[in-house]
Amino acid sequence: MEIGLDASMPTYAGGLGMLAADLMRSAADKGVAAACVTICWQHGYMRQHIRADGTQSYENVDWNPSDHLHKLEPVVSVTIEGKEVKVGVWEYRIDSAEHSVPVYFLDTNIEGNTPEDCAITEHLYGGDGVMRLKQEVVLGIAGVRMLRALGYEDVRTYHMNEGHAAFLTLELLKEREYKNENVRSSCAFTTHTPVAAGHDVFPYDMAQRVVGDMLPWHIRDLAGQDALNMTLLAMHLSRYTCGVSRIHGAISRRMFPGESIDYITNGIHPATWACPEMQHLFDRVMPGWREHPLLLEQKCRDLPPEELWHAHQEAKSRLIAYVNQHTDRPFSQDVLTIATARRVVPYKRPELLYTNLDRLREVCGGRVQIIHAGNAHPNDPFSQEVIQRIVERAKELKDSVNVVYLENYNPTLAKMLVSGTDVWLNTPTRQHEASGTSGMKACLNGVLNLSSLDGWWIEAFDIDPEAGWRIGPLAEALGPEEYRKIDAEDLYTQLQYEVIHEYYYKERKRWIRCMMRAIGLIGRFNTHRCIDEYLEKAWKR
Ligand SMILES: *Cc1c(COP(=O)(O)O)cnc(C)c1O
């Protein structure tokens, strides 16, 4: 449904789109015969502006697809609400040294469609249930028809990346005599959210109105008796289903009892997320790391400590310079810097750090500077108020702890943050973060994670508990409110006795050794390894 290939193409909203791009970059690097189908959103990612009082505005990013994409000839049609809608297509190619993976962007904003139909591909995650259904008909049904029009007949695996794409099974059912088994044998599915409300569910009367005859007679057996659940539809017509981390696989099996759900832990594309200084260093010390990210694990201890520290300082000074253009409280190169940036939603607990301001002052006063970034949903006043409160906290704390909220979190800012900070903070409520990938980007750049044990960090912490710090107990049995109290207290304790202590009062070489271990983790948490696992478990037949 979204892909974030380029900061100037707002065809994504957040992590799901960033991940899709990284996976396809690795597919291109590895020469996998893959093609990607998505939608040419006129408006996806929105530009955030934060005013001095912390209130925000969100505006559409204007872009012209023809500046980035190549228009192709084919036009297919689908029936939506009983009327024919035409769907055109643009092509983008992800080029690697020897291979390239095409990405097809479906577009209803074309000649011959009514203004109403043109609007289907206007706003990513923008409309109501009916609009979402229309968009998913375009992605799934028109997606398969477009592949046929482009000459893709013999496809080994249709991989649904999240339930949004599940209607592709309806077109396959129609092509294959409505036999489930004929469809199951060529589909695979990845679910991305551990939260029940994150799965698309539509009332059947609405679905009947929008999707019409394409809904097969036995849709309730496939997609749920009471309502059309896209996750169930995808799962029941796939030969392989997975979640995106070990814990997410387990949660998904609990959420869908009786289903067979494996996991393939997410990763990042190393060549995309290493800052220039780290790229140069890696090129010299571990040549071939881009093609063989396992070298990051095998060779991370060969990185010369002084040069690693220096590379990090360069990235840090770039970030500090950027921050200082956006705040009148100057940040310093020599102060321990903690950054935390992600989409603002309650489960990520962006205010955990501010649970006890006196304690925060006592622990961090004069010794820590804090950078926040992250967009709220334009229609979500609660999350916008969270940002506003953090901006207020920054004012309250200004005499002891420097805090800044940077506006407009996007991949460019993300790269500057994950390479330029010293510590990457992540505080999700346990069992709510499917995987998370920004912490991996930090590791790759020698930035140490301080994170609650959730998503990928559980696995990373199992592999190497010395590569960063955990927040909160190992136990898994508490309720969210108990966890919030314990985690907040533990966050201060970790900062005081571990992070700050190591940074200022222990030998620098100990910190640098942790940086190497963090880089080593990306020998595993990269999308080349994901693609290998997908090939082995999901895409072979
Ligand atoms: C990596 C990235 C994300 C996803 O990070 P999470 O750890 O899943 O929050 C979201 N947005 C941008 C711009 C990113 O670069």
Side-chain angles (χ1 to χ4, degrees), residues 427-462:
T427 54
T429 306
R430 228 154 298 197
Q431 312 220 347
H432 281 65
E433 180 101 299
S435 165
T437 52
S438 58
M440 302 174 191
K441 300 168 191 168
C443 276
L444 174 68
N445 288 286
V447 167
L448 306 186
N449 275 262
L450 169 59
S451 172
S452 27
L453 279 177
D454 203 13
W456 81 286
W457 190 237
I458 297 178
E459 290 161 59
F461 207 76
D462 268 1

Side-chain angles (χ1 to χ4, degrees), residues 26-260:
S26 283
D29 289 346
K30 296 177 85 67
V32 176
C36 215
V37 178
T38 184
I39 286 184
C40 185
W41 301 108
Q42 285 156 65
H43 305 302
Y45 176 87
M46 295 176 96
R47 187 180 296 117
Q48 177 199 49
H49 172 62
I50 305 181
R51 304 181 192 95
D53 66 357
T55 57
Q56 305 122 61
S57 61
Y58 292 87
E59 22 173 287
N60 291 325
V61 179
D62 283 322
W63 75 297
N64 197 344
S66 59
D67 293 341
H68 302 267
L69 309 173
H70 177 60
K71 182 92 202 200
L72 301 180
E73 287 290 321
V75 173
V76 299
S77 45
V78 278
T79 304
I80 294 176
E81 287 183 319
K83 289 185 324 185
E84 185 179 298
V85 175
K86 293 191 184 322
V87 182
V89 66
W90 303 80
E91 186 188 48
Y92 179 99
R93 296 201 80 96
I94 303 176
D95 289 316
S96 169
E98 284 164 42
H99 305 279
S100 111
V101 166
V103 182
Y104 299 114
F105 287 85
L106 304 173
D107 193 359
T108 63
N109 186 18
I110 62 172
E111 223 179 278
N113 279 339
T114 64
E116 196 191 359
D117 297 336
C118 288
I120 295 174
T121 56
E122 191 164 334
H123 285 285
L124 169 59
Y125 308 134
D128 55 8
V130 170
M131 178 55 88
R132 181 70 78 90
L133 265 170
K134 293 179 181 179
Q135 296 173 335
E136 295 189 0
V137 167
V138 170
L139 182 66
I141 298 175
V144 175
R145 291 180 189 170
M146 186 57 76
L147 285 173
R148 299 289 176 264
L150 291 166
Y152 293 86
E153 294 295 338
D154 183 24
V155 175
R156 192 200 297 169
T157 304
Y158 296 85
H159 186 163
M160 291 169 270
N161 193 39
E162 191 49 305
H164 307 129
F167 283 155
L168 75 79
T169 59
L170 304 187
E171 180 69 4
L172 294 182
L173 277 169
K174 186 175 147 213
E175 286 182 347
R176 300 174 183 193
E177 300 162 340
Y178 292 94
K179 292 206 171 98
N180 296 348
E181 209 34 58
N182 293 351
V183 176
R184 270 180 66 90
S185 58
S186 31
C187 290
F189 171 51
T190 305
T191 172
H192 288 265
T193 169
V195 185
H199 298 257
D200 274 343
V201 178
F202 302 104
Y204 274 115
D205 57 347
M206 183 196 283
Q208 199 65 54
R209 219 164 52 239
V210 176
V211 189
D213 290 347
M214 284 301 292
L215 287 181
W217 58 273
H218 62 314
I219 186 69
R220 283 167 201 260
D221 296 339
L222 295 170
Q225 290 300 322
D226 305 327
L228 194 163
N229 181 319
M230 297 296 279
T231 303
L232 287 177
L233 177 61
M235 209 151 45
H236 289 156
L237 288 175
S238 290
R239 60 171 193 251
Y240 177 84
T241 296
C242 65
V244 291
S245 69
R246 188 173 73 206
I247 179 98
H248 179 232
I251 293 165
S252 303
R253 284 190 296 275
R254 224 176 300 154
M255 204 167 5
F256 300 103
E259 305 292 341
S260 149

Side-chain angles (χ1 to χ4, degrees), residues 12 14-15 18 273 341-342 348 409-411 414 433 436-439 441:
Y12 67 97
M18 303 305 295
W273 292 103
R342 43 199 41 86
K348 304 217 183 210
Y409 182 49
N410 65 17
E433 180 101 299
T437 52
S438 58
K441 300 168 191 168

